[in-house]
């Protein structure tokens, strides 16, 4: 991305980004269940993932991602089609920010490694330590004695 904060330059940098950089823009959040299970909030969308559309005309529709289009920064989802004038069905492009991943395709070893690596950074360990330290504080008597005022 460009270092500018001007909206026009931001849009320009997205529109003119090379394909290898557009990969960054094709991320989607995980569902609450997956978030708790894997310990990550978002991940790159791949063909084979099952997504739920949460915005737009197709809201509520669930289906597998058939194709990820990096040029258009769009997803093609099973069952989300419109008919052309001659009657042939065409996939309707959905922006990745308008979907939630409900099932990950972890058949690829590299992707499962990514999930493990990023999930390892979850903040569950400090929470457990805080809970145990709070329990210890409650069981110990307060230092300093009575203060009467």
């Amino acid at each position: 991305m460009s270092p500018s904060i001007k909206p026009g330059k931001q849009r320009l940098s997205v529109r003119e980004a090379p394909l290898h950089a557009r990969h960054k823009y094709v991320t989607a959040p995980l569902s609450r269940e997956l978030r708790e299970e894997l310990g990550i909030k978002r991940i790159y969308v791949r063909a084979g993932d099952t997504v739920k559309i949460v915005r737009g005309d197709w809201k509520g529709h669930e289906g597998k991602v058939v194709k990820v289009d990096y040029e258009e920064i769009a997803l093609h989802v099973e069952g989300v089609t419109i008919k052309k004038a001659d009657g042939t069905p065409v996939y309707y492009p959905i922006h990745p920010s308008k979907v939630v991943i409900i099932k990950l395709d972890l058949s690829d070893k590299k992707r499962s490694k990514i999930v493990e690596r990023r999930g390892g950074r979850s903040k569950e360990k400090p929470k457990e330590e805080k809970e145990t330290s709070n329990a210890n504080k409650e069981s110990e008597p307060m230092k300093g004695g009575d203060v009467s005022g």
Side-chain angles (χ1 to χ4, degrees), residues 21-61:
R22 286 172 186 250
H23 183 72
K24 253 190 248 184
Y25 306 135
V26 190
T27 60
L30 297 176
S31 66
R32 286 194 178 112
E33 296 81 27
L34 271 180
R35 212 179 267 197
E36 290 170 7
E37 181 185 326
L38 301 174
I40 55 178
K41 282 188 176 181
R42 70 195 70 78
I43 196 165
Y44 300 121
V45 181
R46 283 192 183 177
D49 290 344
T50 306
V51 296
K52 181 178 183 180
I53 300 171
V54 293
R55 293 281 185 275
D57 294 338
W58 297 94
K59 182 179 180 177
H61 184 86

Side-chain angles (χ1 to χ4, degrees), residues 11 30 43 56 63 70 77 89 93 109 125:
R11 288 189 292 267
L30 297 176
I43 196 165
Y70 291 109
V77 182
K109 290 179 183 177
K125 290 181 182 178

Side-chain angles (χ1 to χ4, degrees), residues 1-142:
M1 285 238 196
S2 66
S4 174
I5 60 168
K6 292 183 176 180
K9 286 189 178 182
Q10 291 288 318
R11 288 189 292 267
L12 182 75
S13 68
V14 170
R15 189 172 64 239
E16 295 187 348
L19 281 179
H20 72 277
R22 286 172 186 250
H23 183 72
K24 253 190 248 184
Y25 306 135
V26 190
T27 60
L30 297 176
S31 66
R32 286 194 178 112
E33 296 81 27
L34 271 180
R35 212 179 267 197
E36 290 170 7
E37 181 185 326
L38 301 174
I40 55 178
K41 282 188 176 181
R42 70 195 70 78
I43 196 165
Y44 300 121
V45 181
R46 283 192 183 177
D49 290 344
T50 306
V51 296
K52 181 178 183 180
I53 300 171
V54 293
R55 293 281 185 275
D57 294 338
W58 297 94
K59 182 179 180 177
H61 184 86
E62 294 179 9
K64 271 193 174 184
V65 176
V66 178
K67 180 185 174 191
V68 179
D69 189 355
Y70 291 109
E71 288 183 10
E72 296 293 324
I73 306 173
L75 307 174
H76 295 169
V77 182
E78 246 177 27
V80 181
T81 57
I82 55 172
K83 289 188 179 179
K84 289 179 20 175
D86 65 353
T88 57
V90 179
Y91 285 109
Y92 187 80
I94 305 289
H95 196 271
S97 66
K98 307 302 179 202
V99 302
V100 171
I101 300 173
I102 56 175
K103 187 178 177 195
L104 281 176
D105 177 25
L106 294 173
S107 59
D108 184 18
K109 290 179 183 177
K110 281 187 180 180
R111 194 172 199 204
S112 51
K113 273 189 175 182
I114 291 169
V115 170
E116 286 175 24
R117 183 184 73 227
R118 291 181 63 205
R121 284 193 267 162
S122 67
K123 299 176 183 175
E124 291 179 23
K125 290 181 182 178
K127 286 181 183 176
E128 291 173 4
E129 290 173 10
K130 284 181 182 178
E131 290 173 6
T132 55
S133 63
N134 287 343
N136 291 340
K137 285 180 184 177
E138 290 173 5
S139 62
E140 293 177 8
M142 299 249 327

